[in-house]
Amino acid sequence: MSAFRHRVALGLATLVASAVGSAVPAYVVTTAEPTPTTDASPAAAASRPAARAALVAARRLFARPGPTTYRARAVPSAGAREATLALRDLRVALPGLRGDDTREAERLLARPTDAGAAGTEGFHYAGPSRSSCSAHLCVHWVDRGQDAVPSTDADGDHVPDWVETTQQTLEKAWRSFAAAGYEAPLGDGSLPSHGPDDKVDVYLADVASLGFYGYCPTDSLADGARKAVGYCVFDNDYSYDEVSTEPIVALRATAAHELFHLVQFAYDAREDPWFMEGTATWMEDEVFDAANDNWNYLSTSTLAHPGVPVDFGDDYYPYGAWTWWRFLSEYFGSDKKSAPQVIHRIWDAAVSRDSLSATRSVIATLGTTLQRTFADYSALSHVSRRWYFEGDDAPYPQAPMARRLDLSRRHPGTGSMRTVRLNHLTSANIALHRSSTLPGRLLRLWVDAPLRRTGAAAEVTLHKRDGTLGWRTVRLDADGDGVVTVPFARGQVDRVVLTLVNASTRMDCHRSTTLACSGMPLDDWRPFSYRARTLR
């Protein structure tokens, strides 16, 4: 087997998710904004276009139409939350901006109560605000104008009911994080513009009118700093007309997701999108199991699109990555009990390394490898509803087949070797069905994959006539070659699914992409060949 290497220059949109003809979106390696320097060196000057790109991205998110169409920008419950990382990127890019661009960025990053920040960018209170503090948070609101909260105050304590509901929901999320052992969000000090004390501040404003459930920006992120202080802006009422779901459901999902971003900032505010958004979306289900807003992102998971890398950091795919983190918690659990502490351990490890390296190191301490774990994740994805704990209720996608091959008396095998190409952290399912006329009781499969050390793996699933499943691992040698023979008798097995897996985590890091460690993958577009034949 000849070695194959495919490297892609930065900025080229040339990688396709799959060459097998399945209906999957394009996978494109895109560049993210590098961290600008703060001096007047050529490096700083070179970073300004990238810094402006971060500004343009944030500007588009917060663009407001005219007053007559202000509410027409509401989006369904599929819920845009990308403002948090867009504003994180803008905070990182801020030193690379100049003049009016700097002032615009500062207004976008400003808190609603910041003096002198009022303008068309971001959300800023038009009048005086009030606040109410609980054990760990202070909630701020206004009584008049576009951002006013509903005035209902059933207990007559001069704090609107919706403010109290928001406080109670946030405190439940906070207690859940603390019980799981996570670091608490960092305090912001006692600056006058940050509220009465150093508790975390949450501002209520009409953010749903621009398509947000909420967002949590960083207050600062100095050059080289990894930890950051932040605050949150939540919607002022989560009106059903704006979010297309029950207000309390939207609030609970937002509280768990966005407050967990502040927890992440206490570890590493510069982490990868798939890790930050994926674990925040996973956390929604951990804190408020019945909210289920995370189900909206199943359509952008690798369950639905196995040809898209699980660490793909563009569009809504980072949110869909929650299924990987859910898989890890269930995979290392037992007796229908998940082990969510696995994710906590990965965040602890990520303080000193990138997300993939942290995941790989934690899995190694559990007695296996990321390569084997991702292979199992991939093989189970086409029967996800039978494997995940919530499979009976949640609309988990069943990973599609890349190819279907029907074996018969006339065509008892595939003939010559067939090939698919896989990018890193992707897979392809090959379904082999038997006809009633096919002789033979066994099926032999040959696999010719890339070098095993690059992450190549293969597994076989037996779909039996009685509805049960059987599993086999194709043991690959160092060159990536392997063969396995499995039962295929008429009346016993309906079909066999061969799952080919590129579990490579080899990256050339710090190349300003939106993938893990901002890197370029070293093992994309690798050829995986296979052949099958029935045996008497």
Side-chain angles (χ1 to χ4, degrees):
M1 179 182 64
S2 62
F4 180 89
R5 171 165 290 195
H6 182 75
R7 294 296 303 278
V8 182
L10 286 173
L12 293 181
T14 57
L15 293 183
V16 180
S18 179
V20 297
S22 58
V24 296
Y27 153 52
V28 177
V29 174
T30 57
T31 56
E33 292 73 36
T35 304
T37 58
T38 55
D39 56 27
S41 66
S47 72
R48 287 169 196 161
R52 287 215 79 248
L55 174 60
V56 169
R59 177 191 296 155
R60 287 172 179 167
L61 284 176
F62 287 90
R64 296 176 187 268
T68 58
T69 58
Y70 184 62
R71 290 189 175 274
R73 288 179 56 86
V75 297
S77 178
R81 294 195 189 89
E82 71 270 25
T84 292
L85 292 195
L87 291 176
R88 185 275 307 269
D89 293 343
L90 181 59
R91 175 68 69 183
V92 172
L94 189 60
L97 298 172
R98 297 292 182 271
D100 290 343
D101 287 343
T102 298
R103 287 183 283 275
E104 180 183 1
E106 288 174 341
R107 288 193 294 270
L108 282 166
L109 293 166
R111 296 176 178 229
T113 53
D114 282 350
T120 59
E121 302 89 355
F123 285 89
H124 308 286
Y125 290 153
S129 63
R130 295 201 286 148
S131 64
S132 175
C133 298
S134 52
H136 304 101
L137 308 108
C138 290
V139 176
H140 307 259
W141 77 96
V142 292
D143 295 317
R144 298 179 181 178
Q146 182 77 46
D147 298 315
V149 301
S151 59
T152 305
D153 180 14
D155 58 7
D157 64 351
H158 305 292
V159 177
D161 292 347
W162 185 252
V163 173
E164 294 176 329
T165 298
T166 300
Q167 285 178 317
Q168 294 161 6
T169 305
L170 285 164
E171 287 290 349
K172 175 175 171 48
W174 189 295
R175 291 193 300 271
S176 296
F177 302 156
Y182 285 96
E183 296 287 339
L186 301 179
D188 59 16
S190 301
L191 298 177
S193 61
H194 293 180
D197 50 36
D198 66 351
K199 295 179 180 179
V200 169
D201 294 299
V202 178
Y203 302 86
L204 306 186
D206 189 23
V207 296
S209 63
L210 292 187
F212 305 128
Y213 276 17
Y215 55 91
C216 295
T218 60
D219 267 320
S220 62
L221 198 55
D223 284 352
R226 311 298 297 189
K227 300 178 184 292
V229 171
Y231 66 93
C232 293
V233 182
F234 283 13
D235 193 60
N236 59 334
D237 59 5
Y238 291 105
S239 165
Y240 188 92
D241 291 341
E242 292 182 317
V243 299
S244 300
T245 192
E246 293 302 318
I248 190 63
V249 171
L251 173 61
R252 287 171 178 169
T254 307
H257 185 110
E258 296 299 336
L259 191 61
F260 192 61
H261 277 316
L262 293 190
V263 171
Q264 295 169 348
F265 293 170
Y267 288 87
D268 185 354
R270 298 176 186 264
E271 260 296 352
D272 303 315
W274 78 294
F275 187 37
M276 297 188 77
E277 294 295 7
T279 56
T281 307
W282 164 83
M283 184 58 81
E284 297 175 25
D285 195 50
E286 292 296 307
V287 178
F288 298 105
D289 184 51
N292 296 329
D293 185 74
N294 57 324
W295 292 1
N296 286 306
Y297 299 99
L298 285 167
S299 62
T300 57
S301 70
T302 49
L303 299 182
H305 303 292
V308 176
V310 72
D311 68 330
F312 187 42
D314 287 334
D315 299 321
Y316 287 100
Y317 291 97
Y319 301 88
W322 76 267
T323 58
W324 164 247
W325 307 112
R326 180 67 186 178
F327 175 83
L328 291 184
S329 68
E330 295 190 14
Y331 187 78
F332 293 108
S334 61
D335 299 326
K336 291 291 183 179
K337 293 182 180 180
S338 66
Q341 65 270 21
V342 171
I343 313 304
H344 177 210
R345 290 179 61 184
I346 294 172
W347 267 106
D348 280 343
V351 170
S352 59
R353 66 195 82 185
D354 66 86
S355 59
L356 268 184
S357 297
T359 305
R360 191 167 55 240
S361 68
V362 170
I363 289 176
T365 67
L366 297 169
T368 185
T369 64
L370 191 150
Q371 181 176 356
R372 174 53 48 206
T373 304
F374 187 77
D376 288 347
Y377 169 75
S378 301
L380 289 164
S381 291
H382 81 283
V383 290
S384 58
R385 292 176 190 170
R386 299 180 63 174
W387 191 84
Y388 285 90
F389 295 166
E390 293 182 325
D392 292 338
D393 302 313
Y396 281 101
Q398 308 273 61
M401 296 297 107
R403 285 180 181 164
R404 171 179 171 144
L405 300 171
D406 294 300
L407 304 184
S408 63
R409 179 181 296 274
R410 185 175 180 183
H411 300 286
T414 60
S416 60
M417 298 288 279
R418 304 189 179 203
T419 301
V420 297
R421 291 188 181 275
L422 298 176
N423 293 317
H424 76 289
L425 295 176
T426 67
S427 63
N429 295 305
I430 315 299
L432 298 112
H433 292 248
R434 65 162 298 136
S435 72
S436 60
T437 63
L438 178 69
R441 300 177 59 83
L442 300 171
L443 180 69
R444 182 161 292 170
L445 294 156
W446 291 264
V447 173
D448 181 3
L451 299 176
R452 191 179 62 203
R453 66 178 176 81
T454 66
E459 297 196 10
V460 175
T461 308
L462 306 178
H463 290 258
K464 302 178 182 180
R465 289 293 301 273
D466 62 6
T468 62
L469 301 172
W471 310 93
R472 299 287 191 280
T473 296
V474 183
R475 298 189 180 280
L476 303 181
D477 62 20
D479 290 330
D481 299 319
V483 60
V484 66
T485 302
V486 299
F488 205 50
R490 183 174 60 189
Q492 295 181 18
V493 177
D494 275 337
R495 68 187 185 279
V496 165
V497 175
L498 171 64
T499 303
L500 302 171
V501 181
N502 182 344
S504 173
T505 59
R506 302 196 314 155
M507 305 288 283
D508 180 9
C509 292
H510 312 301
R511 297 294 299 277
S512 297
T513 73
T514 58
L515 299 171
C517 78
S518 302
M520 290 295 296
L522 300 181
D523 297 303
D524 267 1
W525 209 237
R526 295 282 180 150
F528 285 70
S529 300
Y530 63 93
R531 181 165 65 92
R533 185 173 180 82
T534 54
L535 305 175
R536 293 186 181 275

